[in-house]
Amino acid sequence: MPLISIPELIAAARPGGLGAFNVITLEHAEAIVAAAESAERPVVLQLSENTAIHRRGIAPITLACLRIAADSDAAVAVHLDHATSAALIYTAVDLGIRSVMYDGSALDYADNVAATAAITAWCHERGVHIEAELGEVGGKDGAHAPGARTDPDEAVEFVAATGVDALAVAVGSSHAMHTRTAELDNDLIGHLAAKVPVPLVLHGSSGVPDQGLRAAVEHGMTKINIATRLNIRMTTAIRRCLTNDPRLSDPRKYLTPARAAIQAEVEHFLHLLA
């Protein structure tokens, strides 16, 4: 199936939320798309700047994800996540990615607005959907540091000044949590959804319990980004295989159950968000 745009996927996911899952290996991408086919739900394959660094370049994994998406019967988009480098965005778009996230949250507010507006203009000239991030003004740890919160009025101002198509907001989640104990501010989500004229994105969703994610969608959160939970499931499956058979050396023997574990986790979230 041809790649689907993020706005089309958001519409297809309603009244539920759109699940967006980060890809590090081919097994991630294959499992996420297989889960989308099984659950009959739209899905986003996300490639982060950290993954591009890990893989010593974004081109091979991007081209693989684009092909996996194209070969699937599911509605799939491929998205560049948490890019702090304009050069990486330019490369991703040149490869065929039509949705990117520019993360200027570590900048002070004025610099974030200026940088985001410039990249947004460049993306819109090429028909590329762009997401940005806003949280604690000047927060050194970014918008998703514990305790950071997005101000609704400032978010409205930010969207108007930059022209972005979606906004990642800080409402109580935090990146890379291994426990699902984050408590979201649903009142704040509701206020943001009522004021901000573009879809809201929740990063750090792996640390939010199931009921918290459902409540977030009910209060107006649109796109739900999940990464760490998949990595935990993958690593657990691999560790179990290698522990059970210390002589195991064929990666296919442990990556196959790892891929199945990722698929099961994605299916869980897709049904949860429906």
Side-chain angles (χ1 to χ4, degrees):
M1 178 182 290
L3 284 177
I4 310 298
S5 71
I6 294 289
E8 289 176 298
L9 290 189
I10 289 171
R14 286 182 174 139
L18 175 61
F21 302 89
N22 281 53
V23 171
I24 298 175
T25 68
L26 282 179
E27 282 72 23
H28 282 83
E30 292 165 342
I32 293 163
V33 170
E37 292 172 344
S38 175
E40 298 183 339
R41 294 286 294 170
V43 76
V44 181
L45 298 177
Q46 300 198 143
L47 297 164
S48 71
E49 184 172 283
N50 285 338
T51 291
I53 293 169
H54 164 71
R55 306 205 69 87
R56 300 179 181 178
I58 199 171
I61 192 70
T62 295
L63 295 174
C65 285
L66 290 170
R67 184 55 186 264
I68 289 169
D71 287 348
S72 173
D73 293 331
V76 184
V78 180
H79 171 81
L80 177 65
D81 186 40
H82 276 295
T84 62
S85 160
L88 181 60
I89 291 174
Y90 303 156
T91 298
V93 171
D94 186 58
L95 289 167
I97 286 180
R98 312 310 297 166
S99 176
V100 304
M101 180 208 176
Y102 172 66
D103 182 0
S105 63
L107 304 173
D108 65 32
Y109 181 77
D111 289 341
N112 190 1
V113 168
T116 302
I119 290 174
T120 298
W122 185 91
C123 287
H124 283 173
E125 288 174 359
R126 292 156 180 80
V128 174
H129 180 275
I130 180 162
E131 173 187 326
E133 181 164 321
L134 179 68
E136 185 179 30
V137 178
K140 293 182 180 179
D141 297 320
H144 294 277
R149 295 292 185 272
T150 300
D151 177 80
D153 293 330
E154 189 171 71
V156 171
E157 178 185 89
F158 182 85
V159 170
T162 60
V164 295
D165 303 303
L167 188 66
V169 292
V171 293
S173 58
S174 185
H175 285 118
M177 286 184 66
H178 281 238
T179 59
R180 302 188 69 191
T181 55
E183 296 184 9
L184 301 183
D185 187 336
N186 289 318
D187 287 340
L188 177 56
I189 295 172
H191 288 313
L192 287 163
K195 286 193 168 190
V196 178
V198 298
L200 302 179
V201 183
L202 181 67
H203 287 233
S205 304
S206 291
V208 182
D210 283 357
Q211 64 271 25
L213 292 178
R214 289 187 64 90
V217 171
E218 290 167 0
H219 282 80
M221 198 61 70
T222 298
K223 178 170 169 273
I224 308 296
N225 289 10
I226 296 169
T228 301
R229 292 303 304 172
L230 308 191
N231 298 333
I232 290 172
R233 294 301 187 197
M234 181 182 201
T235 304
T236 299
I238 292 172
R239 184 176 290 118
R240 183 181 299 115
C241 287
L242 297 179
T243 299
N244 289 342
D245 186 357
R247 298 183 61 188
L248 184 60
S249 60
D250 185 345
R252 292 167 296 187
K253 300 294 185 181
Y254 55 79
L255 288 177
T256 297
R259 182 173 56 197
I262 295 172
Q263 180 177 341
E265 190 74 352
V266 174
E267 287 179 5
H268 168 77
F269 283 113
L270 291 179
H271 288 301
L272 175 72
L273 299 173

